[in-house]
Amino acid sequence: MVKVKRALISVSDKTGLVDFARELDKLGVEMLSTGGTAKLLRDNNIRVKEVSEYTGFPEMLDGRVKTLHPKIHGGLLALRGNPKHMQSLKEHEIGLIDMVVVNLYPFEKTTQKPKVAIEEVIENIDIGGPSMLRSAAKNHRDVAVVCDPSYYGRVMDELKKNNGGLSEELMRELAIKVFAHTGRYDSTIHNYLNNYFKPQAASSVLPQELDMSFEKIQDLRYGENPHQKAAFYKEKGSFRGLINLKQLQGKELSFNNILDLNSTYELVKEFSSPAAVVVKHNNPCGAAEDESLEKSFLAAHKCDPLSAFGGIVALNRKMDLKTAKAILRSGFLECIVAPGFDNGVAELFKDKKNLRLLQLDELKPTADYELKRVSGGLLLQDKDLATLDTGKLKVVTKKRPTKNEIESLIFGWIVAKHTKSNAIILTRGRKTVGIGAGQMSRVDSVRIAKMKAGKLSKGSCLASDAFFPKADAVIEAAKAGIKAIIQPGGSISDAEIIKACDKYKIAMLFTGMRHFRH
């Protein structure tokens, strides 16, 4: 068991430090420190010696060199049970350091400052801190290392219990924590500088090596099924997205809730006018855009009220009282997410104890990668942020779509982008009336969308996320009364499909762009 007689303390995050150092002082631990940390301890009447006094060498280069000295790293790296090491320390008058308490310059926080200069970012790359942490962690049999203030209480409890000593178990745990911490720190620096200095022309090139770090936000009750464990993690360096959800009421979120919330969030932020989206099992079962949020929700819910039961609703405006009352009348929902809530809205839902009411302020598209784990590795792709250039839409049929039909087709195309393939979306105006999703054949998706729409399929528009392999889907669309179709085109059967559209007097647009979602 290591007895702590000398500790080196140098921290940027000073949370809880004064109380921790005061207890070390009571135990008779000699403390070495630098700059602002030393001043804080002295101001609180805690005995401390400056590192520069201990090493006999001043801080230099505007503080860039403070602890990079043999008297520091020799005292950390020497093996206590190695006679040669101990003799070498004696010859060079180097004392042992038994504990390092260090956390690192706030690089990540600095990068988030508005219009921060690259020079300031560079100065917040810590050099001495990671070096001390790694030296101490490498020699964890003899040196305790604390890089996280949350450990202060546990470390102090052991020191008091063991008369100034720490157990091997805790020493190992602290060391492992360090290498995770410094690894994440370096990864954050790499990612930032890589993005900052990368030539614009290379911005679309996927990285040869991928360094990503995550920290747990919360444990979840279970995964997709009760026998699976699950947790929600935040990507280090990320400050946008679902990690900023504020839960106002309701039971804790589940694994499936978060997946569905992500789908609703990604779809609803596509729209600029008041919009509502209802999602179930990671697929939209209704979406609408209208002059008011209430009308948008009512239309979205009406698309498939049966599937909407137990679903998730996302809004792209603050929820007003009229919309809240409409949602209350609609039946059971798992979650509602909106950028905000008008006064009195939250009060309306307070009796719905199982309903999760969530606020997510931001609704801006984010350029990012998408990852999918596979056995032995992962797949990485750019996020599908492509939008239609309406000026390049190609009318391929004799009949041309009307202006209103084009608006409806584009709306359906956006919804198709967020629907599992094979996706077929039927729309009237800027609202869905039938959705066929996740089928193995496209013609079956058309049939399901038609079934969901019922009589509303007549006169509706159809959006397909990928091309039609055969004319059978067009024949089904004609039976449903479809007036116009939007699809990527590019099938070897395009001529046959265009001929079928002409036969049934259906207008068709080619986008030249596919939106598969697996």
Side-chain angles (χ1 to χ4, degrees):
M1 183 173 288
V2 172
K3 295 285 185 179
V4 178
K5 298 177 182 178
R6 179 180 289 128
L8 192 156
I9 305 175
S10 182
V11 296
S12 293
D13 180 1
K14 296 175 174 58
T15 304
L17 180 66
V18 170
D19 291 339
F20 182 64
R22 187 170 284 124
E23 293 300 320
L24 290 177
D25 193 33
K26 289 178 183 177
L27 291 171
V29 176
E30 179 187 358
M31 281 173 275
L32 310 176
S33 192
T34 60
T37 304
K39 182 179 184 303
L40 176 67
L41 298 181
R42 282 195 302 270
D43 289 348
N44 284 274
N45 299 314
I46 297 170
R47 292 173 295 175
V48 63
K49 180 182 287 187
E50 290 272 2
V51 163
S52 56
E53 179 187 353
Y54 178 74
T55 62
F57 204 91
E59 292 185 14
M60 60 186 298
L61 306 181
D62 297 318
R64 282 187 167 203
V65 177
K66 291 183 279 193
T67 57
L68 298 171
H69 194 282
K71 289 194 75 170
I72 299 300
H73 289 275
L76 292 174
L77 287 165
L79 295 170
R80 274 55 167 172
N82 186 317
K84 289 183 179 179
H85 284 200
M86 300 309 290
Q87 179 61 32
S88 184
L89 293 190
K90 184 176 180 181
E91 289 175 4
H92 296 285
E93 298 181 343
I94 295 174
L96 296 172
I97 298 174
D98 310 304
M99 177 187 285
V100 166
V101 181
V102 167
N103 53 62
L104 307 178
Y105 292 173
F107 178 86
E108 188 175 326
K109 187 176 180 181
T110 301
T111 63
Q112 299 306 309
K113 291 182 180 179
K115 299 180 181 178
V116 64
I118 187 62
E119 291 79 10
E120 183 179 355
V121 171
I122 295 294
E123 287 308 311
N124 275 277
I125 297 176
D126 204 327
I127 302 300
S131 299
M132 288 188 291
L133 288 176
R134 291 174 64 85
S135 291
K138 177 176 180 175
N139 200 20
H140 61 270
R141 286 183 298 175
D142 296 321
V143 181
V145 56
V146 186
C147 66
D148 187 340
S150 67
Y151 275 91
Y152 289 168
R154 188 169 163 198
V155 169
M156 187 50 62
D157 287 344
E158 276 213 12
L159 288 172
K160 290 178 179 178
K161 178 182 176 182
N162 300 319
N163 192 28
L166 293 173
S167 66
E168 289 184 9
E169 181 183 5
L170 180 55
M171 301 275 277
R172 287 193 293 265
E173 183 180 336
L174 291 169
I176 292 169
K177 175 74 175 178
V178 161
F179 290 116
H181 183 58
T182 57
R184 286 195 299 267
Y185 192 76
D186 286 341
S187 177
T188 302
I189 294 169
H190 164 261
N191 291 336
Y192 181 86
L193 295 182
N194 186 52
N195 290 331
Y196 185 87
F197 292 117
K198 183 168 55 179
Q200 192 65 34
S203 63
S204 62
V205 178
L206 298 179
Q208 187 64 32
E209 296 181 4
L210 187 65
D211 294 314
M212 302 189 78
S213 242
F214 299 85
E215 59 182 340
K216 189 188 291 184
I217 293 177
Q218 66 185 97
D219 287 308
L220 304 174
R221 287 182 299 160
Y222 49 75
E224 287 181 290
N225 301 291
H227 60 273
Q228 295 172 269
K229 294 180 180 178
F232 186 21
Y233 289 80
K234 170 191 181 295
E235 184 178 356
K236 292 286 286 184
S238 175
F239 293 86
R240 300 176 66 179
L242 294 189
I243 57 173
N244 294 319
L245 277 172
K246 299 173 186 174
Q247 186 163 351
L248 307 183
Q249 74 159 53
K251 57 187 178 181
E252 63 180 330
L253 291 169
S254 71
F255 183 93
N256 293 334
N257 287 154
I258 292 171
L259 286 177
D260 285 344
L261 280 165
N262 192 62
S263 294
T264 57
Y265 168 69
E266 291 295 333
L267 176 51
V268 82
K269 69 184 182 183
E270 294 265 16
F271 305 116
S272 55
S273 298
V277 174
V278 185
V279 163
K280 184 78 170 289
H281 296 315
N282 223 17
N283 269 313
C285 47
E289 209 179 12
D290 212 314
E291 61 188 17
S292 74
L293 206 56
E294 179 194 20
K295 288 181 178 179
S296 294
F297 169 74
L298 289 171
H301 187 268
K302 186 180 179 181
C303 177
D304 191 352
L306 183 63
S307 296
F309 183 85
I312 288 178
V313 170
L315 309 172
N316 70 347
R317 296 286 194 279
K318 287 179 70 174
M319 191 194 294
D320 54 79
L321 285 168
K322 284 186 176 180
T323 306
K325 289 174 182 177
I327 290 175
L328 277 170
R329 293 192 297 268
S330 67
F332 172 66
L333 295 169
E334 286 275 357
C335 307
I336 303 171
V337 59
F341 301 88
D342 283 349
N343 291 335
V345 168
E347 187 72 12
L348 288 176
F349 292 100
K350 68 177 183 179
D351 293 332
K352 303 286 185 180
K353 302 299 183 184
N354 291 329
L355 173 66
R356 301 155 177 97
L357 207 59
L358 303 147
Q359 183 170 330
L360 188 58
D361 298 332
E362 58 186 280
L363 284 169
K364 296 178 181 177
T366 53
D368 205 349
Y369 296 135
E370 290 184 330
L371 303 99
K372 292 185 184 290
R373 196 82 162 89
V374 295
S375 180
L378 59 81
L379 299 171
L380 177 72
Q381 67 176 355
D382 288 333
K383 202 168 185 179
D384 186 0
L385 298 175
T387 56
L388 277 180
D389 182 346
T390 55
K392 293 182 179 180
L393 289 173
K394 185 179 180 182
V395 180
V396 294
T397 50
K398 294 175 182 177
K399 182 183 177 184
R400 299 185 66 84
T402 67
K403 182 179 178 181
N404 288 339
E405 285 170 346
I406 290 173
E407 181 183 57
S408 189
L409 288 168
I410 291 172
F411 179 85
W413 179 251
I414 292 170
V415 178
K417 174 181 169 182
H418 297 271
T419 307
K420 292 287 186 76
S421 298
N422 289 308
I424 296 292
I425 313 297
L426 302 187
T427 56
R428 294 175 70 95
R430 291 178 297 161
K431 63 182 179 183
T432 58
V433 294
I435 297 175
Q439 300 305 304
M440 289 68 75
S441 70
R442 193 157 298 276
V443 68
D444 282 342
S445 290
V446 175
R447 290 175 181 137
I448 291 170
K450 172 189 170 184
M451 180 268 292
K452 294 283 188 181
K455 294 179 180 179
L456 291 176
S457 68
K458 188 174 183 180
S460 67
C461 294
L462 183 152
S464 174
D465 66 336
F467 64 63
F468 294 116
K470 297 179 182 179
D472 52 2
V474 174
I475 295 169
E476 287 295 328
K479 291 178 184 177
I482 303 300
K483 294 297 182 185
I485 292 174
I486 189 170
Q487 60 126 323
S491 168
I492 59 172
S493 301
D494 275 353
E496 176 191 349
I497 290 156
I498 293 169
K499 184 178 179 181
C501 285
D502 285 338
K503 177 182 176 180
Y504 295 109
K505 295 181 172 56
I506 297 173
M508 187 160 65
L509 293 175
F510 279 4
T511 66
M513 178 193 300
R514 189 180 78 181
H515 275 314
F516 267 163
R517 179 171 175 252
H518 282 76

